[in-house]
Structures are given as C-alpha cells and as structure tokens.
Amino acid sequence: MTNSSTTGSEPARRLRSALFVDFDNVYLGLLRIDPVAAEQFATEPGQWLDRLEAGVDADGPFQRRFLVRLCYLNPAAFSQFRPNFLRAGFRVIDCPSLTQQGKSSADIYLVLDAVDAISGVTHYDEFVIASADADFTPLALRCRAADRRVSIITAGPVAGAYRAVADTVVSADELAELVLPERTTAPVGTGVGTVGTAGQPEVEAAPEPKSRARAPKAAATGTAPAEKPATTARKAKTPKAVAPPVSKARAVVVQRVTTSVRPLHASTVAQLAQNADEELGSTNWAGAGSFLAWLARDVPEVASATKPSPGWVWDPARFGEADLPQPGGQVNSAAISRQVVAVTDTPGLTTSQYGTLLRALADDLAKEPFERVATSRRVREACQAAGAPVGRASVNVVLGGIVFAGLDLAKAPSAQECARAWADNVIGLCRGARMELSATDVAAIRSWVGGGLLDA
C-alpha cells in the first residue's frame, strides 16, 4: 500500500491528530460481523494505522501525524492483544470492569484524556474516536466547539446524533475493508481512507449507474471525434480524458456526497454547489444547462438520477440505484416512515423488497455458512433474480442490524427469525433516537421492515 504525501508538485496538508481507541467496543463489534477482520484489527494495529495516516477531503489530500495513540482495553478479557498495540506505538490504558454488570471504565478514561488534549499545550487539528458508543456524543460536540476536526470509526450501528457531529464517519463495513490487507481501502471520502500515488482514494470499481449515461471521453473535451475510414480505425488513438476542472463547488460536492451515509436529495447537493460558487446560478451551471448536466460534466465520480422523486445523488463506490428510497409500500404514516429512514439510516425499501431480502437471506444461510461479504453478494444476486433489486449498502445494513440484535446467523435462522431480529433492531434504533412511537407505530414499522413476515 503506497501512501503519497504529494499530489503533483503540491505538498499534502499535515494534520496533527489524536487517536482514541475503545478496544472492547470496536473488537466485539467487528467480531459479530467479520471475525477475520476483528482478529486483524486486534493483532495487526500497525497495518491499519498506516492506512489511516493518509486521507482526502474537500480541500484535497492530507497526511495525518498521530501525536497521540491511546488504546483503552479491559485486561481481564483482552490482555493477549496488549503487546500488539504496544508494538504499534500505542499507549495502552487498562480499563478493568468496575461493576457487577461487567462494564469497564474505558469511557470515562477516554473522555478525560481527550478533554486534557483539547486544553493542553499541543494543538491537535483532529480527534479520531474509534467507538460506536453514542455516549461519546458530548465529547465530539466539545471537540467541534474547540474548532477541531472529528472523525469517528465505528464497528456497529451509530446513533444519528453521534454521527451528525462528526466530520467523517467510517462504518463497520468500511472498517472491515480497511483492516483486511487483502481487500482494498476505505471508500472514497471517508476522510480516513488511504490515498494512492496520484492523490486519489483507492476504491474497488463500481458498476456504472443506469440512470445517467456517462459522456464519452471525447465529449469531455468539448469536441466530437472525427470519423475515420475503416482501414485506418486501428491506428486511431483514443483521446485522453480531460481531468474535471478544479473548483470549490466541485470539491464541496465530492466531499459531501462521498462522506454521506446515504444517497442525498439532488436539490440539497445543488444548493451546496451554489453556496460554494454563486456564479453557477447566473451562468446556467457554467454553461452546462442544468445541475445534473453540470454533475455529469464536472463531477463524474458521483452518480445521479431524477427518479424516484425528488431526484438523488450518491457515491457509486458505496451505493447503487437499488439503495434509493422506493415510493410506496412503507409504513401507513408517510411521516413516520420518513422519520425512521432519516433518523436511523434504515434502508428505504418497500415491504415487498424487505420480504424478498429476508427470504433470500434465510435460504442462503440454509445452504451456505455466513460470511459477511460472500453472503451479502449472494443475497443481492438472489433479490435481483427475484425481480426485487436491493443495493449492496442496504443488504449490509440489514445484515449488520440482524447480527447486532443478537441473532446467530451461523445457526441458519428462518426468514421469520431474521425478520424479527431486524425489526427489533430498527425499533431499538428508533427508541435510542428518542422517537416517540405509539403501539400502532411500532406494529406498522415491524410489518414494514419485517417484509410482511411478522404479520399475524
């Protein structure tokens, strides 16, 4: 893995960062969804730490220098991993259980050390908190109030309030990709991914969205390629692609779309672009004629679609058309369904799509052992074959929710058991976000996300 500190002749920015790792939270979270990734996280911290040292955001590539590396660990359960973190330059703080319930003191130690770092002599540009525990929300708010960048690394479901105060969030699936050496790196825009030699994030190739055809390379130059006689066609050279123009609006759009935890309304992204460059409105989107045409020309790394209404923009490295909210088939109360999707990141699938997904999952688990990546791929393919395409991100969210609800997928549960666990997870996320749900709301949500499998 190559980490580059320059892009052309421009030196990368350097961030003075402080890293706080809630080991128990991250390790146990990864263990539920990907045991191999959990083991790699615990035994080879130096490798994923190297990958964290380079990133990219709206202002371009940057390099982190971790001035502080702290790991908070329960020695009674995980002392065997202490040497690995010491070897990687971490200071390991023992956080034994102090209660009969087994809860360790990691939270309070981490917060005290972070607050000391904020008020200390050394100025830290960024605080990186590796934990999905929403109890750290006040700490993240304190860091932002002190004008410090906040990055959160999670290994489980994240409360909306906690995620909202962070500049960048690395999800559990992205973290699993990051720590495993044979896989690529964190997706574009996490701000915690690696940067290749050209200064662009390295990601796996994503399928071309069907909603918007990409312009041929020659069209990007503003000229059409001249036709050549058949006898000379083999000698014709393919025109070189012209790099998109550098602009503040483009940088802002790339940053927002590639760091979003869901596809965004097109109007939201359009407003961001206009706020960054007021001339876009007066120049008819820099001569492109419309916002989506400007996106296709100047921001080709994002995808967009006009339907379903009101139009969407997303990062094709992580989402696809099947991840877009689908109209109809949700909770009877549109307001409740919109709130559930917005607050908890529950995929906006229809009842029918959820039913197909959950049945496909149960059928797959009855035939093959659960393995996060392979299972997700097979379930997506089964949904596609059944005429109910569901995106990769949506399948991964459902898988993660079922696992974190406590259902053991290694025991090949039925479709109804999967539906019950997933519905329990969604209701738990709603209550954790302090949504006020009536008994009718709860029943409707369970019927919706349970794919109709839980109806009496």
Side-chain angles (χ1 to χ4, degrees):
M1 186 68 60
T2 302
N3 286 329
S4 172
S5 60
T6 61
T7 304
S9 60
E10 294 294 327
R13 292 172 296 131
R14 301 192 70 85
L15 298 182
R16 290 175 290 187
S17 302
L19 173 61
F20 305 87
V21 178
D22 183 351
F23 180 88
D24 300 27
N25 183 278
V26 177
Y27 179 74
L28 293 175
L30 278 178
L31 196 62
R32 292 176 176 177
I33 65 168
D34 196 326
V36 176
E39 192 68 16
Q40 189 70 20
F41 167 80
T43 58
E44 296 291 344
Q47 290 188 7
W48 54 259
L49 189 64
D50 286 343
R51 297 187 178 98
L52 287 177
E53 289 182 348
V56 72
D57 60 15
D59 296 319
F62 61 80
Q63 290 286 130
R64 288 185 175 90
R65 184 185 179 202
F66 287 109
L67 302 183
V68 169
R69 304 175 184 180
L70 298 178
C71 176
Y72 303 85
L73 175 150
N74 184 346
F78 305 115
S79 61
Q80 69 270 29
F81 299 121
R82 174 199 293 273
N84 305 93
F85 279 80
L86 291 175
R87 183 183 60 189
F90 281 82
R91 181 160 66 91
V92 179
I93 293 88
D94 284 341
C95 302
S97 173
L98 301 178
T99 68
Q100 293 182 347
Q101 291 74 29
K103 182 174 175 58
S104 75
S105 53
D107 294 10
I108 188 63
Y109 276 121
L110 191 156
V111 170
L112 288 174
D113 287 340
V115 171
D116 284 345
I118 293 173
S119 57
V121 176
T122 302
H123 178 86
Y124 298 96
D125 302 308
E126 178 189 43
F127 285 73
V128 182
I129 305 170
S131 177
D133 193 341
D135 288 347
F136 292 121
T137 302
L139 173 61
L141 286 168
R142 177 69 179 84
C143 293
R144 288 185 67 89
D147 194 21
R148 313 300 174 89
R149 178 188 176 108
V150 179
S151 293
I152 295 173
I153 303 174
T154 72
V158 184
Y162 183 37
R163 182 183 60 250
V165 298
D167 294 283
T168 58
V169 178
V170 178
S171 69
D173 285 315
E174 292 167 353
L175 177 59
E177 299 294 332
L178 180 71
V179 303
L180 288 169
E182 69 273 15
R183 298 180 187 170
T184 322
T185 60
V188 178
T190 60
V192 195
T194 61
V195 179
T197 55
Q200 294 298 323
E202 299 174 292
V203 297
E204 62 176 310
E208 193 77 15
K210 297 179 181 178
S211 301
R212 188 187 76 207
R214 300 289 175 84
K217 292 183 178 181
T221 67
T223 60
E227 295 184 3
K228 297 289 184 179
T231 54
T232 61
R234 288 181 295 178
K235 298 181 180 179
K237 294 183 179 180
T238 302
K240 292 183 178 180
V242 176
V246 178
S247 70
K248 181 64 175 176
R250 167 183 153 75
V252 168
V253 168
V254 170
Q255 167 69 3
R256 183 69 179 89
V257 173
T258 57
T259 58
S260 175
V261 295
R262 63 171 74 90
L264 298 168
H265 287 165
S267 59
T268 299
V269 182
Q271 189 61 57
L272 286 171
Q274 289 184 324
N275 290 343
D277 184 356
E278 296 180 356
E279 292 185 359
L280 287 176
S282 61
T283 59
N284 198 17
W285 291 98
S290 69
F291 168 61
L292 293 185
W294 175 78
L295 274 183
R297 186 190 69 188
D298 289 3
V299 198
E301 56 265 71
V302 306
S304 65
T306 56
K307 295 181 180 180
S309 180
W312 298 87
V313 180
W314 67 90
D315 174 10
R318 295 178 295 144
F319 304 106
E321 287 183 79
D323 292 309
L324 302 181
Q326 301 298 315
Q330 299 183 2
V331 182
N332 293 334
S333 170
I336 286 293
S337 68
R338 286 197 300 268
Q339 189 176 21
V340 171
V341 171
V343 171
T344 68
D345 289 334
T346 297
L349 306 179
T350 65
T351 302
S352 176
Q353 284 177 310
Y354 271 125
T356 301
L357 189 161
L358 293 165
R359 291 187 184 92
L361 174 60
D363 290 343
D364 186 81
L365 294 174
K367 302 173 184 175
E368 302 285 348
F370 173 66
E371 197 282 314
R372 184 179 59 89
V373 176
T375 300
S376 176
R377 184 189 68 254
R378 291 192 299 266
V379 169
R380 294 197 308 274
E381 293 172 349
C383 290
Q384 179 75 31
V390 179
R392 175 179 61 180
S394 298
V395 174
N396 287 342
V397 169
V398 173
L399 282 176
I402 291 174
V403 170
F404 280 96
L407 186 64
D408 187 356
L409 297 184
K411 295 182 179 180
S414 67
Q416 287 76 15
E417 290 174 319
C418 291
R420 188 174 300 109
W422 168 236
D424 288 345
N425 177 76
V426 173
I427 296 299
L429 292 174
C430 291
R431 289 174 172 158
R434 304 300 175 89
M435 287 181 61
E436 296 183 2
L437 301 176
S438 67
T440 301
D441 291 333
V442 170
I445 293 172
R446 292 180 68 84
S447 176
W448 163 39
V449 301
L453 298 172
L454 303 179
D455 295 342

